[in-house]
Amino acid sequence: MASRRFLPSGFLILAALAVSGAAAAVDRDTAQLELTQAVTAVQTAERDDAARYAPADLDEAHSMLGSAQRAADGRSWDDTALFAERAKVAGDLASARSRQHRAESATAEIERSVDSLRHEIGGAP
Amino acid sequence: MKSSKTLCALATGATLFLAACATVPPGPPPDVVRLQSDLDRLHSDPRIANNAGPELANADAAVDVLARNARVLDARAYTQGVYIADKLVGIAEATALARYAEQRGSELGIEREHLLARSDSHTTTIVTTTQAPTAVVRSDITPPAPVVRETIRDDGVVVVPRERAELVAMQRQMPGVESRLDARGLIVHLDNYSFEPGRAELTPTAEQSLDGVARVLATDGDAGITVEALGADGLATARAAAVRDYLDARGVDGARIASRTVGYREGLARNDRRVDIVIQGDYR
């Protein structure tokens, strides 16, 4: 249960509102906050070179962010929050996959280098 | 008449209710079952389970909330929940696998350093150290090269000056970092694989090593630091600057850090684009 504190707040709020039967009305400030967090996540993914290592995930994040920004332009705060939340997790996933790809590539290169050294040492007279 | 209509309406309602119940399959919806299955797979993979951080706890909690509320969520909230949970599962998997690869890369880096040392017949094992004003270092295989200014006792123990011992102590505070001691000081070694191919961007493994170096250097304000990049061209300059900037961002004053490029010498491979961090104590 303790792990639940790590949950994205938006998802918990949305789930709680839906379960309680209350209208899931999101105010402007909440929607803008979600949007800001989404922009940050997507920018972080770009800095993490996701365009190179996780292009599909980054494209999805951009698409969701675009939908959130259009919803914000239309003052539809519910949709803004919904798409922003999606953009944020899609951006986070792009960053994570980019990190995974870079780490695995670097490790594979070191592994090749170690194999080569082992071969040299093993083959030495 | 009125009561028979009421009875009829009740019967119809009950029938519709029972029919509705009959059409709802037992258990969680397929999306939730899939997500639970994905989580089971992550938990049973030792590479992921052993490197799971808060990301896996996030995914567990999200799927748990979804599973418990799937039948009462409206369609919009349910779809959103599935989307978010799906991404959180992906984040947990990718992050854990990245950690696993980084850890393995670090271990392989150490093994490679040992193999390089073996191939050069320069292996020296340090077994005791730092008792000011002198430190004692035992050479198990061969004494260090004379340029390092140690004195070798008859029993094979090498006595080194205190400043030199400080570098030895510093080296010990950098577990997992490829380094060696030579006449110039403590040399931290970042090889080709510490950078993205053909670029000056540090790999996560290299950043991890530099974090350890920065922690030590940030607490020792006296040590001189020189970043040396092999290959006198723009890439070498950029890589040296990237290392200096990274250390500076992690609390090591950039003004302390000199950087330079080093041209190729005989015996060095042309594709060797390593960067060395030379750390000098007061010992010269």
Side-chain angles (χ1 to χ4, degrees), chain A residues 6 52 60 107 111 118, chain B residues 58 80 83 101 104 111 199:
Chain A
F6 296 116
R52 182 178 177 194
E60 187 172 335
T107 299
E111 197 157 22
R118 281 186 191 135
Chain B
N58 273 352
Q80 180 76 343
Y83 185 94
R104 178 157 169 69
E111 183 181 354
R199 302 168 60 186

Side-chain angles (χ1 to χ4, degrees), chain A residues 2-3 8-9 11 17 19 24 31 33 35 43 45 48 53 62 88 91-92 97-98 111 113 121-123:
Chain A
S3 61
S9 58
F11 174 60
L17 287 172
V19 171
L33 179 63
L35 192 54
Q43 287 175 343
D48 287 341
Y53 295 116
H62 276 301
K88 181 183 179 307
D92 287 346
R97 289 212 167 123
S98 184
E111 197 157 22
S113 165
I121 291 171

Side-chain angles (χ1 to χ4, degrees), chain A residues 27-103:
Chain A
D27 63 30
R28 177 183 176 154
D29 288 346
T30 304
Q32 292 287 9
L33 179 63
E34 295 275 6
L35 192 54
T36 302
Q37 289 175 342
V39 169
T40 301
V42 173
Q43 287 175 343
T44 301
E46 287 167 347
R47 278 200 302 274
D48 287 341
D49 225 355
R52 182 178 177 194
Y53 295 116
D57 297 306
L58 185 62
D59 283 350
E60 187 172 335
H62 276 301
S63 169
M64 292 297 166
L65 186 59
S67 297
Q69 285 167 333
R70 281 191 294 277
D73 291 342
R75 296 178 178 276
S76 174
W77 307 124
D78 285 356
D79 284 348
T80 302
L82 183 141
F83 286 116
E85 197 172 44
R86 290 186 178 199
K88 181 183 179 307
V89 287
D92 287 346
L93 179 57
S95 285
R97 289 212 167 123
S98 184
R99 176 184 171 189
Q100 178 193 351
H101 194 286
R102 284 183 293 145

